[in-house]
Amino acid sequence: MIDETVLLTLGFFAFCGGLIDAAVGGGGLVQIPALLHALPQHSIATVLGTNKLAVWAGTASSIFRYVNKIKFVWKLLIPTMLAAFIFAFVGAMTTAYIPKQLMSYVVFCLLIMMAIYTFLKKDLGAQSTYVKCGYKDIALGVVFGGLIGFYDGIFGPGSGSFLLFLFVKVFGFDFLNASASAKVVNLGTFSSALLFFIPTGHVLWEIGLIIALCNVIGSLVGVFLALRYGSQFIRLFFLILLIFLIVRMGLSLF
């Protein structure tokens, strides 16, 4: 039986994670360390599985709020999500075999590059420059969706931020549309990972459902802020999140 104070603490971090995820992605870097600290007796797979249940609920609720406000490019999103779905399952299966330290160094370098580029490109994602969806766009979506999906299945935190950056930089979406689109792909990766974690018994349901509720509430607040303040707010929030992730990962790595 887990202590009530610990549950309240986990609920708070789940709320913060849901809020961040709904706006810019990357909430897992807030939520997963809290779970690791609270559940030292459980395996990394169980921690990740329990986290996936919470973020799945939060992401589903945020998409529901976005769906009537954003014009989704389904021709691009569906193939990207399917590729991410397939490779997230493969990633989840290889959780025990991929060296997490190596993955952490790669992600750390990518976060730094994304932060520098976003900071220097002041007009990045301010307005949509997306024109039309051709076969090249779909192919790029499948490739990047598969790579990010694989990473999300293995580890996960920051995958939403990578997707957001992908939709802004590669496809020319504004930050608001990119944030909403990233949620659609993430819902696929989270669903896929759960198809592995649930049958293998790597979900703590009592804890998972409590933090899922807190994650949903945080997600609804995050969507409200994103829709109210638009792309420039998301860009600033995205930069702040990247700096936070870089500092946090840097301290743990070095």
Side-chain angles (χ1 to χ4, degrees):
M1 188 69 181
I2 193 163
D3 185 82
E4 287 184 8
T5 305
V6 174
L7 274 179
L8 285 172
T9 304
L10 286 176
F12 171 74
F13 280 105
F15 171 84
C16 295
L19 190 155
I20 294 167
D21 255 333
V24 293
L29 263 296
V30 174
Q31 196 163 289
I32 287 180
L35 283 167
L36 286 170
H37 180 74
L39 307 170
Q41 71 276 28
H42 293 283
S43 68
I44 183 67
T46 300
V47 170
L48 293 177
T50 304
N51 176 69
K52 282 289 188 286
L53 177 66
V55 294
W56 183 93
T59 301
S61 66
S62 66
I63 291 173
F64 181 76
R65 287 293 305 276
Y66 274 126
V67 75
N68 294 322
K69 309 287 186 181
I70 299 294
K71 187 178 180 181
F72 289 104
V73 186
W74 293 111
K75 187 179 178 182
L76 173 64
L77 283 179
I78 290 175
T80 303
M81 182 176 69
L82 287 175
F85 179 91
I86 293 167
F87 281 92
F89 188 83
V90 175
M93 289 176 64
T94 58
T95 300
Y97 307 105
I98 301 294
K100 294 294 188 302
Q101 194 75 357
L102 174 62
M103 182 67 68
S104 297
Y105 281 115
V106 172
V107 172
F108 181 70
C109 293
L110 288 173
L111 288 172
I112 292 174
M113 288 188 287
M114 285 196 325
I116 293 171
Y117 188 86
T118 305
F119 178 77
L120 293 176
K121 294 282 287 184
K122 305 293 184 184
D123 58 342
L124 181 70
Q127 291 183 329
S128 177
T129 57
Y130 182 79
V131 181
K132 62 178 181 177
C133 181
Y135 290 114
K136 182 182 177 182
D137 290 330
I138 293 172
L140 285 172
V142 168
V143 170
F144 284 114
L147 289 172
I148 295 172
F150 184 74
Y151 165 70
D152 192 65
I154 293 175
F155 189 50
S159 65
S161 299
F162 288 127
L163 284 166
L164 188 152
F165 188 77
L166 167 70
F167 284 117
V168 171
K169 178 66 181 74
V170 177
F171 300 116
F173 287 15
D174 62 74
F175 268 106
L176 183 60
N177 203 318
S179 178
S181 299
K183 302 295 163 291
V184 174
V185 180
N186 262 150
L187 187 66
T189 63
F190 297 157
S191 300
S192 179
L194 283 173
L195 287 177
F196 170 78
F197 287 126
I198 291 175
T200 52
H202 289 303
V203 174
L204 302 174
W205 288 98
E206 183 181 357
I207 296 171
L209 290 173
I210 291 171
I211 62 174
L213 176 61
C214 297
N215 199 276
V216 167
I217 297 170
S219 293
L220 296 177
V221 175
V223 174
F224 171 79
L225 292 173
L227 291 173
R228 183 177 179 88
Y229 296 107
S231 289
Q232 282 304 313
F233 164 77
I234 295 178
R235 178 184 181 276
L236 178 60
F237 202 2
F238 181 61
L239 275 171
I240 293 171
L241 174 72
L242 288 180
I243 293 168
F244 170 77
L245 297 184
I246 289 165
V247 171
R248 185 172 187 85
M249 290 192 74
L251 288 173
S252 64
L253 288 172
F254 305 109

